[in-house]
Amino acid sequence: PLLTREAFVQALGRLGVPFVQCFAEADREIAGLANRWGCPVLSLDSDFCVFDLAGGYCPLSHFQWQSVRSAGPQGCYVPARCFSAQRFCGHFGRLSTALLPLFAVMTGNDYIGLEALEAFFSKVRLPRGCAAGRGGRHLRLQGLLTWLAQFTEPAEAVDNVLKYLKKHQREEIRELLCTSVEDYAPSDVNLEDFFENGSYECEAARQADVPQWVLDALAKGKLAPFVINALILRSTFLRVQVENMQRPSAHSTALPIRQVIYGLLLRVSHSTEDASPSKQTNELLTVCEFDRCQKTLKKTFLQAASLPPDFCDDRFPLDKLMEVPMSCREMLLLETLGVKMSFLEPIPRHLQLPIAVTCYWIRCSEPKVKLNQLKALLLMIVSGELQRIIDDPDPRVLPAEDDSIAYNEFLKWKEKKLENNDFDLDAAHSFCQWQCCLQMGLYLNQLLGTPLSEPDLGRLYTGTLVHRLYQELKSAPAVENLFILSPKMAQLYLVLLNTAES
């Protein structure tokens, strides 16, 4: 689902789990912290087989979650497997762990596919290694590791690799190999500082001139990587969902919201500060978006939106954005979504943002939202509210018996087999558009310092439930009265529906 990352960040916060969101690739920073604390790394990223980790690497796929075992007075544990780079290298003679990054790069990692190295593999005589592999690739990996074991350091091994290449390729390949190997070098970021006193210092961010408040908010998960990518890389990647591939991308509905985000970031980014007015061309105010066009990837340069006068004031560049009065920031958010605060006042505070986004979605989506799609969405939101009241009751308010009865009736309804279970692709596309609008509404709200409360995303949206409600509304309109046994929930549904329809 599109908002998985945001739901996960909220869950960590709710459970009180300390976490940090890194400025760029997190691998090196994680490896540095793991070695500082003597901890293993838990992950599904095989790059951690390459880092020399004192505590090793525990792949999440090797945890026996169902086999919790007792360790006596010390409590319980979950059996797992731990990979050690030192022990791995012991299988290949005198292989140094310092050569594992070169091994990873030569066999192809996330960022480098070195076709030029095929000349090396076709000419070099690789030993077969200790055990017979099940295929050519396995044998090549074993042979390369045993071949690398004859060298003491990466530079020596690189020199010997280059001997097998054409002279005109050597320097370019040397630079590629050395740059890629550096990705496995220890990071200069001290994450321990962040967990002890909340400060996240990063040289790469300083060189990119990222305002400190943006970096702090990113580290705490209060800003999405999307914002940093737009600010620093001037490019963003829009994830594709299960949608109608014959229609324009579901993200096209949220395009005006993204333009406002880009406007806030780029009007003040460091690239324009030093430039004279004549150099401040439109190119400086565009972001390259990667999105789908039918089933292919398309690159589009999107113009940033021009902003209201309050945000164009020289007193408020990006590093001073939080000094813009909150009332102005709230107004920009609401104007972007096309709603007035007076409309949202009857809505509970934590639902104001999703309902404002819903109003935007009704106005901007193409094809137009059907009434039953809107009703299904609002009923789903009400079901999340009812679940919240049952699971986390307010200690200051006596629980209402009718809420429990309504919730039990809702659970019985969910258990019933659905007669018409056809998948409606156009409805799916419409709900995808809503999620895209919510995602960008959420990001804009975060960038403006959350003038509206953030909704609990885990309870706000359930794809299977909204599809089922939509199917039932078409064949059995009475499902609209699903929460009639709870006056509070029935009233909430009517308030949400009246706000959205008005």
Side-chain angles (χ1 to χ4, degrees), residues 205-235:
R206 197 177 293 113
Q207 288 177 1
D209 203 19
V210 175
Q212 191 60 45
W213 80 264
V214 172
L215 192 59
D216 290 344
L218 180 83
K220 291 170 182 169
K222 293 177 178 176
L223 280 179
F226 174 90
V227 169
I228 291 295
N229 290 341
L231 178 65
I232 305 300
L233 305 177
R234 296 294 178 88
S235 74

PDB file of all heavy atoms in Angstrom, residues 205-235:
ATOM      1  N   ALA A 205      24.539  16.394   4.056  1.00  0.00           N
ATOM      2  CA  ALA A 205      23.415  17.340   4.149  1.00  0.00           C
ATOM      3  C   ALA A 205      23.936  18.768   4.282  1.00  0.00           C
ATOM      4  O   ALA A 205      23.354  19.708   3.719  1.00  0.00           O
ATOM      5  CB  ALA A 205      22.534  16.988   5.345  1.00  0.00           C
ATOM      6  N   ARG A 206      25.039  18.926   5.026  1.00  0.00           N
ATOM      7  CA  ARG A 206      25.615  20.265   5.199  1.00  0.00           C
ATOM      8  C   ARG A 206      26.119  20.799   3.858  1.00  0.00           C
ATOM      9  O   ARG A 206      25.892  21.946   3.506  1.00  0.00           O
ATOM     10  CB  ARG A 206      26.759  20.209   6.219  1.00  0.00           C
ATOM     11  CG  ARG A 206      27.157  21.580   6.781  1.00  0.00           C
ATOM     12  CD  ARG A 206      28.236  21.485   7.843  1.00  0.00           C
ATOM     13  NE  ARG A 206      27.767  20.826   9.051  1.00  0.00           N
ATOM     14  CZ  ARG A 206      28.195  19.643   9.474  1.00  0.00           C
ATOM     15  NH1 ARG A 206      29.114  18.989   8.803  1.00  0.00           N
ATOM     16  NH2 ARG A 206      27.721  19.105  10.569  1.00  0.00           N
ATOM     17  N   GLN A 207      26.769  19.940   3.092  1.00  0.00           N
ATOM     18  CA  GLN A 207      27.268  20.353   1.774  1.00  0.00           C
ATOM     19  C   GLN A 207      26.125  20.685   0.823  1.00  0.00           C
ATOM     20  O   GLN A 207      26.257  21.547  -0.038  1.00  0.00           O
ATOM     21  CB  GLN A 207      28.148  19.249   1.181  1.00  0.00           C
ATOM     22  CG  GLN A 207      29.497  19.114   1.873  1.00  0.00           C
ATOM     23  CD  GLN A 207      30.326  17.967   1.334  1.00  0.00           C
ATOM     24  OE1 GLN A 207      29.912  17.262   0.417  1.00  0.00           O
ATOM     25  NE2 GLN A 207      31.503  17.778   1.902  1.00  0.00           N
ATOM     26  N   ALA A 208      25.003  19.987   0.993  1.00  0.00           N
ATOM     27  CA  ALA A 208      23.834  20.250   0.142  1.00  0.00           C
ATOM     28  C   ALA A 208      23.029  21.439   0.645  1.00  0.00           C
ATOM     29  O   ALA A 208      22.006  21.807   0.051  1.00  0.00           O
ATOM     30  CB  ALA A 208      22.943  19.008   0.084  1.00  0.00           C
ATOM     31  N   ASP A 209      23.472  22.048   1.762  1.00  0.00           N
ATOM     32  CA  ASP A 209      22.838  23.254   2.307  1.00  0.00           C
ATOM     33  C   ASP A 209      21.394  23.003   2.734  1.00  0.00           C
ATOM     34  O   ASP A 209      20.515  23.840   2.527  1.00  0.00           O
ATOM     35  CB  ASP A 209      22.902  24.378   1.259  1.00  0.00           C
ATOM     36  CG  ASP A 209      22.788  25.755   1.910  1.00  0.00           C
ATOM     37  OD1 ASP A 209      23.017  25.841   3.125  1.00  0.00           O
ATOM     38  OD2 ASP A 209      22.441  26.717   1.201  1.00  0.00           O
ATOM     39  N   VAL A 210      21.154  21.835   3.323  1.00  0.00           N
ATOM     40  CA  VAL A 210      19.807  21.514   3.809  1.00  0.00           C
ATOM     41  C   VAL A 210      19.578  22.237   5.128  1.00  0.00           C
ATOM     42  O   VAL A 210      20.398  22.125   6.048  1.00  0.00           O
ATOM     43  CB  VAL A 210      19.643  19.988   4.016  1.00  0.00           C
ATOM     44  CG1 VAL A 210      18.283  19.662   4.627  1.00  0.00           C
ATOM     45  CG2 VAL A 210      19.811  19.251   2.699  1.00  0.00           C
ATOM     46  N   PRO A 211      18.506  23.013   5.268  1.00  0.00           N
ATOM     47  CA  PRO A 211      18.231  23.703   6.546  1.00  0.00           C
ATOM     48  C   PRO A 211      18.182  22.710   7.708  1.00  0.00           C
ATOM     49  O   PRO A 211      17.677  21.590   7.547  1.00  0.00           O
ATOM     50  CB  PRO A 211      16.859  24.352   6.315  1.00  0.00           C
ATOM     51  CG  PRO A 211      16.746  24.490   4.830  1.00  0.00           C
ATOM     52  CD  PRO A 211      17.481  23.318   4.244  1.00  0.00           C
ATOM     53  N   GLN A 212      18.671  23.130   8.859  1.00  0.00           N
ATOM     54  CA  GLN A 212      18.774  22.222  10.001  1.00  0.00           C
ATOM     55  C   GLN A 212      17.405  21.689  10.422  1.00  0.00           C
ATOM     56  O   GLN A 212      17.266  20.516  10.775  1.00  0.00           O
ATOM     57  CB  GLN A 212      19.460  22.912  11.185  1.00  0.00           C
ATOM     58  CG  GLN A 212      19.840  21.975  12.327  1.00  0.00           C
ATOM     59  CD  GLN A 212      20.807  20.869  11.931  1.00  0.00           C
ATOM     60  OE1 GLN A 212      21.786  21.120  11.240  1.00  0.00           O
ATOM     61  NE2 GLN A 212      20.523  19.643  12.349  1.00  0.00           N
ATOM     62  N   TRP A 213      16.365  22.545  10.384  1.00  0.00           N
ATOM     63  CA  TRP A 213      15.051  22.065  10.830  1.00  0.00           C
ATOM     64  C   TRP A 213      14.521  20.978   9.898  1.00  0.00           C
ATOM     65  O   TRP A 213      13.838  20.041  10.352  1.00  0.00           O
ATOM     66  CB  TRP A 213      14.049  23.221  10.960  1.00  0.00           C
ATOM     67  CG  TRP A 213      13.421  23.701   9.680  1.00  0.00           C
ATOM     68  CD1 TRP A 213      13.825  24.747   8.913  1.00  0.00           C
ATOM     69  CD2 TRP A 213      12.261  23.163   9.016  1.00  0.00           C
ATOM     70  NE1 TRP A 213      13.015  24.890   7.814  1.00  0.00           N
ATOM     71  CE2 TRP A 213      12.038  23.936   7.855  1.00  0.00           C
ATOM     72  CE3 TRP A 213      11.393  22.102   9.291  1.00  0.00           C
ATOM     73  CZ2 TRP A 213      11.001  23.687   6.965  1.00  0.00           C
ATOM     74  CZ3 TRP A 213      10.355  21.840   8.411  1.00  0.00           C
ATOM     75  CH2 TRP A 213      10.160  22.624   7.264  1.00  0.00           C
ATOM     76  N   VAL A 214      14.863  21.065   8.596  1.00  0.00           N
ATOM     77  CA  VAL A 214      14.436  20.037   7.634  1.00  0.00           C
ATOM     78  C   VAL A 214      15.150  18.725   7.951  1.00  0.00           C
ATOM     79  O   VAL A 214      14.535  17.652   7.979  1.00  0.00           O
ATOM     80  CB  VAL A 214      14.732  20.484   6.181  1.00  0.00           C
ATOM     81  CG1 VAL A 214      14.477  19.350   5.191  1.00  0.00           C
ATOM     82  CG2 VAL A 214      13.882  21.697   5.815  1.00  0.00           C
ATOM     83  N   LEU A 215      16.471  18.820   8.219  1.00  0.00           N
ATOM     84  CA  LEU A 215      17.250  17.622   8.530  1.00  0.00           C
ATOM     85  C   LEU A 215      16.763  16.964   9.819  1.00  0.00           C
ATOM     86  O   LEU A 215      16.617  15.741   9.900  1.00  0.00           O
ATOM     87  CB  LEU A 215      18.730  18.001   8.652  1.00  0.00           C
ATOM     88  CG  LEU A 215      19.737  16.849   8.695  1.00  0.00           C
ATOM     89  CD1 LEU A 215      19.647  15.996   7.444  1.00  0.00           C
ATOM     90  CD2 LEU A 215      21.147  17.375   8.868  1.00  0.00           C
ATOM     91  N   ASP A 216      16.477  17.780  10.844  1.00  0.00           N
ATOM     92  CA  ASP A 216      15.980  17.249  12.124  1.00  0.00           C
ATOM     93  C   ASP A 216      14.625  16.565  11.937  1.00  0.00           C
ATOM     94  O   ASP A 216      14.386  15.484  12.481  1.00  0.00           O
ATOM     95  CB  ASP A 216      15.855  18.368  13.159  1.00  0.00           C
ATOM     96  CG  ASP A 216      17.215  18.888  13.620  1.00  0.00           C
ATOM     97  OD1 ASP A 216      18.216  18.194  13.384  1.00  0.00           O
ATOM     98  OD2 ASP A 216      17.263  19.998  14.187  1.00  0.00           O
ATOM     99  N   ALA A 217      13.745  17.219  11.166  1.00  0.00           N
ATOM    100  CA  ALA A 217      12.404  16.650  10.937  1.00  0.00           C
ATOM    101  C   ALA A 217      12.505  15.346  10.152  1.00  0.00           C
ATOM    102  O   ALA A 217      11.773  14.384  10.421  1.00  0.00           O
ATOM    103  CB  ALA A 217      11.519  17.656  10.202  1.00  0.00           C
ATOM    104  N   LEU A 218      13.415  15.301   9.175  1.00  0.00           N
ATOM    105  CA  LEU A 218      13.614  14.071   8.400  1.00  0.00           C
ATOM    106  C   LEU A 218      14.094  12.946   9.309  1.00  0.00           C
ATOM    107  O   LEU A 218      13.564  11.831   9.274  1.00  0.00           O
ATOM    108  CB  LEU A 218      14.631  14.306   7.281  1.00  0.00           C
ATOM    109  CG  LEU A 218      14.908  13.076   6.411  1.00  0.00           C
ATOM    110  CD1 LEU A 218      13.843  12.926   5.338  1.00  0.00           C
ATOM    111  CD2 LEU A 218      16.280  13.128   5.773  1.00  0.00           C
ATOM    112  N   ALA A 219      15.095  13.240  10.161  1.00  0.00           N
ATOM    113  CA  ALA A 219      15.663  12.221  11.056  1.00  0.00           C
ATOM    114  C   ALA A 219      14.602  11.656  11.993  1.00  0.00           C
ATOM    115  O   ALA A 219      14.604  10.469  12.300  1.00  0.00           O
ATOM    116  CB  ALA A 219      16.823  12.811  11.850  1.00  0.00           C
ATOM    117  N   LYS A 220      13.663  12.503  12.414  1.00  0.00           N
ATOM    118  CA  LYS A 220      12.616  12.054  13.352  1.00  0.00           C
ATOM    119  C   LYS A 220      11.412  11.446  12.635  1.00  0.00           C
ATOM    120  O   LYS A 220      10.410  11.114  13.276  1.00  0.00           O
ATOM    121  CB  LYS A 220      12.171  13.232  14.223  1.00  0.00           C
ATOM    122  CG  LYS A 220      13.272  13.670  15.192  1.00  0.00           C
ATOM    123  CD  LYS A 220      12.932  14.975  15.888  1.00  0.00           C
ATOM    124  CE  LYS A 220      14.099  15.388  16.797  1.00  0.00           C
ATOM    125  NZ  LYS A 220      13.959  16.745  17.299  1.00  0.00           N
ATOM    126  N   GLY A 221      11.483  11.333  11.313  1.00  0.00           N
ATOM    127  CA  GLY A 221      10.379  10.745  10.551  1.00  0.00           C
ATOM    128  C   GLY A 221       9.211  11.689  10.374  1.00  0.00           C
ATOM    129  O   GLY A 221       8.121  11.264   9.997  1.00  0.00           O
ATOM    130  N   LYS A 222       9.437  13.001  10.629  1.00  0.00           N
ATOM    131  CA  LYS A 222       8.350  13.971  10.492  1.00  0.00           C
ATOM    132  C   LYS A 222       8.280  14.568   9.095  1.00  0.00           C
ATOM    133  O   LYS A 222       7.393  15.365   8.794  1.00  0.00           O
ATOM    134  CB  LYS A 222       8.503  15.085  11.540  1.00  0.00           C
ATOM    135  CG  LYS A 222       8.304  14.560  12.961  1.00  0.00           C
ATOM    136  CD  LYS A 222       8.514  15.638  14.010  1.00  0.00           C
ATOM    137  CE  LYS A 222       8.265  15.072  15.411  1.00  0.00           C
ATOM    138  NZ  LYS A 222       8.554  16.057  16.451  1.00  0.00           N
ATOM    139  N   LEU A 223       9.249  14.226   8.244  1.00  0.00           N
ATOM    140  CA  LEU A 223       9.223  14.574   6.826  1.00  0.00           C
ATOM    141  C   LEU A 223       9.568  13.311   6.052  1.00  0.00           C
ATOM    142  O   LEU A 223      10.352  12.485   6.512  1.00  0.00           O
ATOM    143  CB  LEU A 223      10.244  15.666   6.489  1.00  0.00           C
ATOM    144  CG  LEU A 223       9.882  17.121   6.789  1.00  0.00           C
ATOM    145  CD1 LEU A 223      11.047  18.027   6.401  1.00  0.00           C
ATOM    146  CD2 LEU A 223       8.618  17.568   6.055  1.00  0.00           C
ATOM    147  N   ALA A 224       9.003  13.177   4.855  1.00  0.00           N
ATOM    148  CA  ALA A 224       9.243  11.984   4.044  1.00  0.00           C
ATOM    149  C   ALA A 224      10.477  12.157   3.163  1.00  0.00           C
ATOM    150  O   ALA A 224      10.825  13.282   2.793  1.00  0.00           O
ATOM    151  CB  ALA A 224       8.013  11.725   3.165  1.00  0.00           C
ATOM    152  N   PRO A 225      11.142  11.061   2.789  1.00  0.00           N
ATOM    153  CA  PRO A 225      12.268  11.137   1.841  1.00  0.00           C
ATOM    154  C   PRO A 225      11.867  11.828   0.533  1.00  0.00           C
ATOM    155  O   PRO A 225      12.707  12.448  -0.120  1.00  0.00           O
ATOM    156  CB  PRO A 225      12.621   9.667   1.595  1.00  0.00           C
ATOM    157  CG  PRO A 225      12.156   8.955   2.821  1.00  0.00           C
ATOM    158  CD  PRO A 225      10.940   9.685   3.273  1.00  0.00           C
ATOM    159  N   PHE A 226      10.590  11.752   0.165  1.00  0.00           N
ATOM    160  CA  PHE A 226      10.078  12.428  -1.035  1.00  0.00           C
ATOM    161  C   PHE A 226      10.476  13.908  -1.042  1.00  0.00           C
ATOM    162  O   PHE A 226      10.883  14.458  -2.071  1.00  0.00           O
ATOM    163  CB  PHE A 226       8.544  12.291  -1.056  1.00  0.00           C
ATOM    164  CG  PHE A 226       7.853  13.047  -2.156  1.00  0.00           C
ATOM    165  CD1 PHE A 226       7.620  12.452  -3.384  1.00  0.00           C
ATOM    166  CD2 PHE A 226       7.441  14.366  -1.967  1.00  0.00           C
ATOM    167  CE1 PHE A 226       6.987  13.161  -4.407  1.00  0.00           C
ATOM    168  CE2 PHE A 226       6.816  15.075  -2.971  1.00  0.00           C
ATOM    169  CZ  PHE A 226       6.586  14.467  -4.196  1.00  0.00           C
ATOM    170  N   VAL A 227      10.376  14.552   0.128  1.00  0.00           N
ATOM    171  CA  VAL A 227      10.666  15.986   0.247  1.00  0.00           C
ATOM    172  C   VAL A 227      12.142  16.252  -0.005  1.00  0.00           C
ATOM    173  O   VAL A 227      12.512  17.189  -0.724  1.00  0.00           O
ATOM    174  CB  VAL A 227      10.230  16.494   1.642  1.00  0.00           C
ATOM    175  CG1 VAL A 227      10.747  17.898   1.901  1.00  0.00           C
ATOM    176  CG2 VAL A 227       8.710  16.452   1.762  1.00  0.00           C
ATOM    177  N   ILE A 228      13.011  15.408   0.571  1.00  0.00           N
ATOM    178  CA  ILE A 228      14.461  15.575   0.383  1.00  0.00           C
ATOM    179  C   ILE A 228      14.842  15.318  -1.070  1.00  0.00           C
ATOM    180  O   ILE A 228      15.681  16.016  -1.643  1.00  0.00           O
ATOM    181  CB  ILE A 228      15.231  14.636   1.339  1.00  0.00           C
ATOM    182  CG1 ILE A 228      15.041  15.108   2.783  1.00  0.00           C
ATOM    183  CG2 ILE A 228      16.708  14.586   1.005  1.00  0.00           C
ATOM    184  CD1 ILE A 228      15.638  16.461   3.105  1.00  0.00           C
ATOM    185  N   ASN A 229      14.231  14.296  -1.693  1.00  0.00           N
ATOM    186  CA  ASN A 229      14.537  14.006  -3.099  1.00  0.00           C
ATOM    187  C   ASN A 229      14.182  15.196  -3.994  1.00  0.00           C
ATOM    188  O   ASN A 229      14.922  15.537  -4.908  1.00  0.00           O
ATOM    189  CB  ASN A 229      13.770  12.764  -3.560  1.00  0.00           C
ATOM    190  CG  ASN A 229      14.285  11.502  -2.915  1.00  0.00           C
ATOM    191  OD1 ASN A 229      15.403  11.476  -2.406  1.00  0.00           O
ATOM    192  ND2 ASN A 229      13.482  10.462  -2.902  1.00  0.00           N
ATOM    193  N   ALA A 230      13.045  15.817  -3.706  1.00  0.00           N
ATOM    194  CA  ALA A 230      12.641  16.988  -4.504  1.00  0.00           C
ATOM    195  C   ALA A 230      13.590  18.159  -4.268  1.00  0.00           C
ATOM    196  O   ALA A 230      13.963  18.868  -5.206  1.00  0.00           O
ATOM    197  CB  ALA A 230      11.207  17.388  -4.152  1.00  0.00           C
ATOM    198  N   LEU A 231      14.011  18.341  -3.019  1.00  0.00           N
ATOM    199  CA  LEU A 231      14.866  19.480  -2.661  1.00  0.00           C
ATOM    200  C   LEU A 231      16.288  19.319  -3.198  1.00  0.00           C
ATOM    201  O   LEU A 231      16.839  20.254  -3.784  1.00  0.00           O
ATOM    202  CB  LEU A 231      14.894  19.631  -1.135  1.00  0.00           C
ATOM    203  CG  LEU A 231      15.774  20.754  -0.573  1.00  0.00           C
ATOM    204  CD1 LEU A 231      15.251  22.118  -0.994  1.00  0.00           C
ATOM    205  CD2 LEU A 231      15.853  20.660   0.947  1.00  0.00           C
ATOM    206  N   ILE A 232      16.862  18.142  -3.025  1.00  0.00           N
ATOM    207  CA  ILE A 232      18.279  17.934  -3.347  1.00  0.00           C
ATOM    208  C   ILE A 232      18.473  17.398  -4.768  1.00  0.00           C
ATOM    209  O   ILE A 232      19.276  17.909  -5.538  1.00  0.00           O
ATOM    210  CB  ILE A 232      18.941  16.956  -2.346  1.00  0.00           C
ATOM    211  CG1 ILE A 232      18.747  17.460  -0.917  1.00  0.00           C
ATOM    212  CG2 ILE A 232      20.422  16.777  -2.664  1.00  0.00           C
ATOM    213  CD1 ILE A 232      19.317  18.805  -0.624  1.00  0.00           C
ATOM    214  N   LEU A 233      17.730  16.347  -5.103  1.00  0.00           N
ATOM    215  CA  LEU A 233      17.925  15.697  -6.403  1.00  0.00           C
ATOM    216  C   LEU A 233      17.093  16.330  -7.511  1.00  0.00           C
ATOM    217  O   LEU A 233      17.314  16.050  -8.687  1.00  0.00           O
ATOM    218  CB  LEU A 233      17.565  14.206  -6.305  1.00  0.00           C
ATOM    219  CG  LEU A 233      18.292  13.396  -5.228  1.00  0.00           C
ATOM    220  CD1 LEU A 233      17.786  11.963  -5.212  1.00  0.00           C
ATOM    221  CD2 LEU A 233      19.790  13.424  -5.459  1.00  0.00           C
ATOM    222  N   ARG A 234      16.107  17.142  -7.098  1.00  0.00           N
ATOM    223  CA  ARG A 234      15.156  17.719  -8.069  1.00  0.00           C
ATOM    224  C   ARG A 234      14.451  16.628  -8.866  1.00  0.00           C
ATOM    225  O   ARG A 234      14.101  16.813 -10.033  1.00  0.00           O
ATOM    226  CB  ARG A 234      15.863  18.676  -9.035  1.00  0.00           C
ATOM    227  CG  ARG A 234      16.451  19.907  -8.369  1.00  0.00           C
ATOM    228  CD  ARG A 234      15.339  20.795  -7.814  1.00  0.00           C
ATOM    229  NE  ARG A 234      15.879  21.951  -7.143  1.00  0.00           N
ATOM    230  CZ  ARG A 234      16.167  23.093  -7.754  1.00  0.00           C
ATOM    231  NH1 ARG A 234      15.987  23.213  -9.039  1.00  0.00           N
ATOM    232  NH2 ARG A 234      16.632  24.109  -7.055  1.00  0.00           N
ATOM    233  N   SER A 235      14.284  15.464  -8.251  1.00  0.00           N
ATOM    234  CA  SER A 235      13.533  14.400  -8.926  1.00  0.00           C
ATOM    235  C   SER A 235      12.793  13.566  -7.885  1.00  0.00           C
ATOM    236  O   SER A 235      13.243  13.435  -6.739  1.00  0.00           O
ATOM    237  CB  SER A 235      14.462  13.520  -9.761  1.00  0.00           C
ATOM    238  OG  SER A 235      15.222  12.676  -8.938  1.00  0.00           O
TER     239      SER A 235
END
